[in-house]
């Protein structure tokens, strides 16, 4: 996961007319949760994501936060998280930015996501993780609040039929599945989720939204 600054930079580079304050990510949702509960987390996050948590107290941790951080998914890091959950059993909390099963890397191949590693910590420690991002309804509901929009006025565009599209449509949004990223042929017919629209890419998804609302280029 990228920091808010890095994500904003990528969006601007793609010519999105967006203010940094309009971005609502699972990282920001996680930080809000940590601050509200006054927790001191052990952070299993990517170097970029850690940038958003520089002001968070991590001394003598009493919780674990797992994000999309392949460099932290080794025995040493996971065992440290497990030991914390066991040593403070009943007190320490386990959070996951999301529980994605897999992702696509820059080489075009699928790779394990954080979900399996979060499940391993749950299984070993007996502590159930709180999932903060997609497909949790609270994540989508907060995004709608920030946009001051109703679910039927919003559309989710994503490459994961289960977490992106399924999660959004479970909250009343329309979900568009794009045939890019982690998408694989036939995903639109899997997991009991029927996307509102199947688009070849993000641009085609936007075109469909405009067409549906009677807006021409």
């Amino acid at each position: 996961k990228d920091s808010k600054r890095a994500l904003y930079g990528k969006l601007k580079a793609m010519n999105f007319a967006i203010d940094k304050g309009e971005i609502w990510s699972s990282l920001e949702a996680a930080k809000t949760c940590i601050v509200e509960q006054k927790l001191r987390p052990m952070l299993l996050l990517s170097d970029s994501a850690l940038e958003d948590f520089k002001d968070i107290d991590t001394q003598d941790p009493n919780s674990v936060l797992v994000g999309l951080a392949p460099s932290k998914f080794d025995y040493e890091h996971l065992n440290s998280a497990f030991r914390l959950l066991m040593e403070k059993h009943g007190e320490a909390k386990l959070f996951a930015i999301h529980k994605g099963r897999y992702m696509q890397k820059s080489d075009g191949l699928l790779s394990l996501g954080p979900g399996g590693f979060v499940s391993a910590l749950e299984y070993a420690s007996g502590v159930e993780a709180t999932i903060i991002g997609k497909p949790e309804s609270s994540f989508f509901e907060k995004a709608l609040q920030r946009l001051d929009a109703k679910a039927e006025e919003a559309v989710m565009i994503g490459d994961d039929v289960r977490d992106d599209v399924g999660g959004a449509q479970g909250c009343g949004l329309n979900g568009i599945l794009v045939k890019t990223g982690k998408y694989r042929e036939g995903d639109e017919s899997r997991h009991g989720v029927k996307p509102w629209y199947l688009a070849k890419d993000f641009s085609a998804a936007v075109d469909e939204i405009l067409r549906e609302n009677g807006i021409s280029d």
Side-chain angles (χ1 to χ4, degrees), residues 25-124:
S25 70
S26 51
L27 275 179
E28 186 169 353
K31 183 176 182 180
T32 299
C33 180
I34 294 296
V35 170
E36 288 179 347
Q37 297 190 37
K38 299 179 180 179
L39 297 172
R40 303 181 305 279
M42 174 185 290
L43 299 172
L44 299 187
L45 301 176
S46 67
D47 290 341
S48 177
L50 285 172
E51 181 180 317
D52 288 345
F53 290 79
K54 289 188 295 185
D55 56 340
I56 295 296
D57 181 9
T58 58
Q59 297 299 312
D60 186 25
N62 57 7
S63 57
V64 175
L65 175 61
V66 183
L68 181 55
S71 65
K72 305 292 174 62
F73 296 153
D74 55 40
Y75 187 82
E76 181 179 355
H77 285 95
L78 291 171
N79 200 45
S80 294
F82 162 72
R83 287 175 172 174
L84 170 61
L85 294 171
M86 292 300 290
E87 289 168 3
K88 297 184 178 182
H89 206 278
E91 299 179 14
K93 297 183 179 182
L94 174 61
F95 297 91
I97 299 295
H98 61 80
K99 216 175 180 181
R101 293 161 177 80
Y102 54 87
M103 59 182 176
Q104 177 172 291
K105 300 191 74 175
S106 57
D107 59 9
L109 300 176
L110 294 180
S111 297
L112 283 169
F117 301 99
V118 174
S119 292
L121 288 173
E122 289 180 308
Y123 176 77

Side-chain angles (χ1 to χ4, degrees), residues 118-199:
V118 174
S119 292
L121 288 173
E122 289 180 308
Y123 176 77
S125 69
V127 178
E128 184 178 356
T130 297
I131 312 303
I132 295 174
K134 301 171 298 184
E136 294 303 299
S137 59
S138 58
F139 178 73
F140 291 103
E141 290 164 359
K142 183 64 176 179
L144 290 171
Q145 289 175 13
R146 290 171 64 97
L147 290 170
D148 192 23
K150 298 177 182 178
E152 59 270 24
E153 298 172 331
V155 176
M156 170 71 196
I157 302 174
D159 61 0
D160 188 318
V161 69
R162 185 163 28 197
D163 291 350
D164 293 343
V165 176
Q169 294 189 163
C171 292
L173 290 80
N174 285 321
I176 295 181
L177 180 65
V178 289
K179 301 173 75 171
T180 56
K182 69 165 70 172
Y183 170 86
R184 292 298 182 269
E185 195 66 36
D187 279 357
E188 63 274 17
S189 301
R190 298 190 177 105
H191 312 302
V193 177
K194 183 179 180 180
W196 176 66
Y197 186 74
L198 179 65

Side-chain angles (χ1 to χ4, degrees), residues 199-213:
K200 68 175 182 177
D201 54 26
F202 187 86
S203 177
V206 173
D207 288 342
E208 176 59 20
I209 294 171
L210 294 174
R211 186 197 68 76
E212 184 70 17
N213 287 275

